[in-house]
């Protein structure tokens, strides 16, 4: 958690006083905190908790398989760390979606593992979803929380700040250095390398009818000369 606070300075006493809101008090419960000057991109952000950075890669086409891979979760710390992250996000509340008609909540909570990730729900809704299956909205929430955690953990592994916006090149670098490059599509790697991209996947083998020659390079210009000479010397 990070926050922007306005200090009340008393030069004569040599004191600086901060008045955080109730939601920011947990920031000071561990004792020491880091204080730094306001960053330029936060000039227009109101005092209080610093909002999470918007991560464009969270919804980028071509990364769905990477974010959904259990291997990525294991390499970033495992399902237990993801569950703790989701528990923190829930702020002690059941994450059952508003589309549920049943508004009752039990006072105890647990992690519910859906096909898309993890959500934090009360025991009552845990039983409900296990019997009836997770709703589309709940799966979407689980997916978003999973992707947020993956991106946050990669930023942490790369030594970036909490509000850092992860680039595609940085994500690919992490994948290559942690043995997860095989989970990236050819399209994503070509884009990260600045090469011309295409959504159709490159196959290891092609039929002759599928081969399309876009152009000949300069090294193969002699083929045109050979073909023209061959055509010229053909008997009538």
């Amino acid at each position: 958690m990070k926050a922007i606070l306005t200090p009340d300075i008393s030069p004569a006493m040599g004191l600086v006083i901060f008045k955080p809101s109730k939601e920011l008090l947990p920031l000071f419960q561990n004792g020491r905190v880091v204080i730094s000057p306001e960053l330029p991109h936060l000039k227009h952000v109101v005092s209080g908790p610093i909002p999470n950075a918007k991560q464009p890669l969270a919804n980028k086409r071509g990364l769905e398989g990477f974010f959904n891979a259990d291997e990525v979760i294991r390499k970033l710390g495992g399902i237990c760390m993801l569950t703790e992250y989701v528990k923190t996000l829930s702020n002690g509340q059941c994450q059952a979606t508003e589309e549920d008609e049943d508004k009752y909540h039990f006072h105890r909570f647990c992690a519910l593992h859906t096909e898309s990730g993890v959500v934090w729900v009360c025991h009552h809704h845990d039983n409900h979803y296990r019997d009836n299956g997770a709703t589309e909205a709940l799966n979407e929430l689980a997916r978003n929380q999973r992707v947020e955690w993956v991106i946050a953990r990669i930023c942490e592994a790369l030594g970036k700040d909490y509000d850092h916006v992860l680039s595609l090149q940085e994500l690919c670098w992490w994948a290559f250095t942690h043995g997860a490059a095989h989970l990236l599509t050819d399209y994503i790697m070509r884009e990260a390398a600045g090469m011309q991209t295409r959504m159709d996947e490159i196959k290891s083998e092609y039929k002759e009818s599928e081969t399309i020659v876009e152009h000949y390079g300069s090294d193969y210009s002699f083929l045109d000369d050979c073909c023209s000479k061959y055509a010229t010397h053909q008997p009538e």
Side-chain angles (χ1 to χ4, degrees):
M1 179 188 296
K2 290 185 178 181
I4 298 176
L5 298 175
T6 303
D8 185 3
I9 304 174
S10 177
M13 298 290 292
L15 298 175
V16 178
I17 301 174
F18 295 96
K19 188 179 180 181
S21 60
K22 185 178 180 180
E23 63 179 331
L24 292 177
L25 291 180
L27 184 62
F28 302 91
Q29 290 179 348
N30 294 326
R32 302 199 305 170
V33 296
V34 176
I35 299 176
S36 66
E38 183 182 51
L39 298 176
H41 70 281
L42 297 175
K43 291 289 184 183
H44 302 291
V45 177
V46 298
S47 297
I50 297 177
N52 294 340
K54 294 182 179 179
Q55 298 288 352
L57 296 185
N59 298 305
K60 183 170 181 59
R61 184 175 58 169
L63 285 177
E64 297 89 349
F66 178 83
F67 288 134
N68 290 333
D70 291 336
E71 184 177 345
V72 171
I73 299 297
R74 291 194 298 269
K75 291 179 180 295
L76 288 172
I79 193 66
C80 291
M81 289 193 67
L82 172 58
T83 302
E84 284 300 315
Y85 176 80
V86 171
K87 181 180 178 181
T88 302
L89 287 181
S90 70
N91 197 26
Q93 302 295 321
C94 178
Q95 291 187 324
T97 56
E98 294 181 357
E99 67 182 19
D100 296 324
E101 297 180 359
D102 188 357
K103 302 299 181 183
Y104 172 74
H105 296 285
F106 194 65
H107 63 279
R108 295 187 182 278
F109 301 89
C110 63
L112 174 66
H113 298 262
T114 75
E115 61 184 22
S116 303
V118 181
V119 288
W120 191 252
V121 295
C122 68
H123 284 190
H124 170 71
H125 281 92
D126 177 61
N127 292 331
H128 172 75
Y129 289 128
R130 288 184 188 277
D131 293 338
N132 302 285
T135 61
E136 182 179 346
L138 196 69
N139 276 321
E140 180 67 17
L141 175 63
R143 183 263 176 196
N144 291 339
Q145 293 181 153
R146 176 176 181 147
V147 172
E148 288 175 11
W149 180 78
V150 168
I151 292 177
R153 289 289 293 163
I154 291 178
C155 286
E156 183 179 346
L158 296 176
K160 304 298 182 179
D161 292 334
Y162 181 76
D163 56 349
H164 175 74
V165 178
L166 186 69
S167 70
L168 184 60
Q169 289 76 16
E170 290 170 334
L171 182 145
C172 290
W173 173 255
W174 179 88
F176 272 97
T177 55
H178 289 78
H182 62 283
L183 300 172
L184 297 172
T185 64
D186 172 74
Y187 169 80
I188 287 297
M189 289 189 287
R190 288 172 66 90
E191 182 177 343
M195 302 171 63
Q196 184 179 1
T197 58
R198 62 186 188 187
M199 282 306 295
D200 54 312
E201 197 172 317
I202 294 180
K203 297 183 289 187
S204 58
E205 294 183 4
Y206 283 87
K207 298 178 181 178
E208 185 177 354
S209 59
E210 295 176 327
T211 305
I212 300 175
V213 180
E214 297 179 352
H215 63 85
Y216 290 108
S218 58
D219 292 337
Y220 300 95
S221 57
F222 70 94
L223 290 175
D224 293 329
D225 295 333
C226 290
C227 291
S228 60
K229 290 179 180 178
Y230 177 80
T232 304
H233 291 83
Q234 285 297 308
E236 297 180 0

